[in-house]
Amino acid sequence: MIRTLALTKDATLLHNSPLERLRAADIEWYWVDFDSPSHEEAALLDRVFHFHPLAIEDCLHFLQRPKMDYYGDYNFFVLHALNQRTLDAEEVDLFVGGNYVVSFHLQQSEELEEVWEKISVNEAIWAKGPVYIAYLVMDKLVDQYFPAVYLIEEAVDKLDDNLKRANGNRLMDELFDIRGDLLKLRRTINTMRDLLYRILNSERLAAFKEHHVYFVDIHDHLLRLSELIESNREMTADIRDSYTSFNSNRMNSIMMTLTIISSIFIPLTFIAGVYGMNFEFMPELKSHYGYFIVLIVMVLIGVGMYLWFRRKGWFKV
């Protein structure tokens, strides 16, 4: 689908005008949005707008990193939106010229839809031109990173609160799932942050200097997001280390208890083994009270060793 917005010089906003109409002399600026276009519609990037073949190729093939390219009288931006369900990056491409913006995205974009509606009803934006529209798109894309980061932060806090009560295998599975999500977000956020840094410091984006403060605000948001990502990664690492330490301590306690029990039963087993031998000449076997004497001796040995271990502080581990 292709849709258009165009502002005339008499401050009239036109919706879905034919592409030929956008070239008229009375058009102040226009925005063409390629929303999940067909092959025939995508071909208009070359046939109507005459964009560079490399830029068109970038539109049709997903890139791993946001980037910015200069092409004479227009600039080309590769941006990343965030799929809130999978946390995968989805590409949004922008061509920004002197009096136009052309956006291209293979998936439907709620962020662009919101910006489109905002421009349609807010006349104060109309006079600010294409660069401000590009700012609105970038700002909305970045704003949608925050909910995903906050959800992960809540999940990390919940894990931290339930550390001692959580099932070990389930906790570690959840922890590594969270770290995987954080890695996806970090890849998207950090590359967008680098792109905004280039925009702010490029000497070839003269038109963007007029709106410098707006792009600084986006860069600040991305810095904040990067800090949240790193903070949550550190917290997940701390939870992992705490769980490992707690589990190790609990295992040591169990091993200590088993060792004490084994130590107590070693002499008792020895006594029972000695008198369990079938030799004919064992004087104690003929004793009338021998059985009771051995039982008493075994109880005294067991109680004595228990008290001695307790005095040594082994049960405090």
Side-chain angles (χ1 to χ4, degrees):
M1 179 182 74
I2 299 177
R3 54 182 179 171
T4 67
L5 277 179
L7 183 71
T8 63
K9 293 184 178 179
D10 60 359
T12 301
L13 193 66
L14 306 178
H15 292 264
N16 296 319
S17 301
L19 296 181
E20 296 77 11
R21 174 74 176 87
L22 304 179
R23 305 288 181 157
D26 66 328
I27 297 297
E28 185 70 22
W29 59 258
Y30 60 89
W31 178 9
V32 180
D33 181 41
F34 288 77
D35 184 356
S36 306
S38 64
H39 291 293
E40 293 76 14
E41 291 172 335
L44 297 176
L45 292 174
D46 179 35
R47 192 164 65 249
V48 174
F49 297 98
H50 308 296
F51 291 134
H52 196 281
L54 291 177
I56 296 174
E57 182 181 353
D58 288 342
C59 290
L60 300 176
H61 299 88
F62 179 76
L63 291 175
Q64 296 300 315
R65 297 177 64 88
K67 70 167 190 173
M68 172 178 63
D69 289 327
Y70 310 100
Y71 291 104
D73 59 347
Y74 65 89
N75 300 294
F76 174 65
F77 300 92
V78 175
L79 310 173
H80 278 177
L82 190 68
N83 186 310
Q84 296 293 325
R85 184 175 57 85
T86 64
L87 300 184
D88 291 328
E90 296 180 348
E91 189 171 310
V92 175
D93 304 302
L94 285 183
F95 297 88
V96 182
N99 70 329
Y100 65 85
V101 174
V102 175
S103 55
F104 187 98
H105 46 102
L106 297 176
Q107 298 87 13
Q108 200 167 22
S109 173
E110 294 181 5
E111 293 86 352
L112 263 68
E113 186 66 35
E114 291 182 27
V115 174
W116 191 274
E117 293 299 325
K118 183 176 182 179
I119 295 174
S120 298
V121 301
N122 192 342
E123 296 184 12
I125 299 175
W126 298 354
K128 295 185 178 181
V131 174
Y132 190 77
I133 294 175
Y135 153 72
L136 290 176
V137 171
M138 294 181 191
D139 185 56
K140 183 56 66 174
L141 293 178
V142 171
D143 283 347
Q144 292 306 307
Y145 297 165
F146 280 97
V149 174
Y150 288 149
L151 281 175
I152 290 180
E153 193 169 37
E154 290 177 7
V156 172
D157 290 339
K158 185 177 179 181
L159 276 184
D160 191 33
D161 293 338
N162 298 327
L163 177 60
K164 293 185 178 180
R165 298 191 297 273
N167 175 273
N169 292 332
R170 183 172 61 83
L171 181 140
M172 294 305 288
D173 288 343
E174 291 181 10
L175 194 63
F176 282 110
D177 285 343
I178 289 174
R179 287 181 66 84
D181 290 341
L182 287 171
L183 183 61
K184 286 183 180 180
L185 287 171
R186 185 175 70 168
R187 187 182 301 117
T188 299
I189 290 169
N190 286 358
T191 52
M192 282 290 287
R193 182 195 63 194
D194 295 341
L195 173 62
L196 264 295
Y197 180 82
R198 285 191 62 196
I199 291 174
L200 291 174
N201 293 278
S202 175
E203 297 298 329
R204 302 178 66 176
L205 297 175
F208 284 70
K209 298 299 182 183
E210 300 176 11
H211 303 282
H212 182 81
V213 65
Y214 295 110
F215 292 96
V216 168
D217 183 64
I218 299 176
H219 188 253
D220 289 343
H221 289 171
L222 288 165
L223 288 176
R224 172 61 179 156
L225 286 164
S226 295
E227 291 172 359
L228 288 173
I229 292 295
E230 294 307 318
S231 174
N232 281 288
R233 280 178 56 82
E234 290 176 7
M235 187 171 290
T236 56
D238 290 343
I239 292 174
R240 180 192 59 198
D241 295 342
S242 297
Y243 173 76
T244 303
S245 177
F246 171 75
N247 203 40
S248 177
N249 185 61
R250 184 171 60 180
M251 184 63 68
N252 288 339
S253 178
I254 293 172
M255 292 302 296
M256 180 67 74
T257 302
L258 294 176
T259 301
I260 292 171
I261 294 173
S262 299
S263 299
I264 291 174
F265 273 89
I266 284 174
L268 305 185
T269 304
F270 173 75
I271 294 172
V274 168
Y275 288 102
M277 293 187 291
N278 294 321
F279 291 111
E280 183 177 353
F281 301 103
M282 293 185 71
E284 294 86 352
L285 297 180
K286 305 296 183 180
S287 172
H288 183 71
Y289 298 104
Y291 172 71
F292 301 102
I293 292 172
V294 170
L295 283 181
I296 292 171
V297 170
M298 293 173 73
V299 169
L300 290 175
I301 290 174
V303 171
M305 292 185 70
Y306 169 79
L307 294 175
W308 186 67
F309 289 143
R310 186 182 181 90
R311 185 177 180 182
K312 288 288 187 180
W314 285 24
F315 290 98
K316 296 180 181 178
V317 177

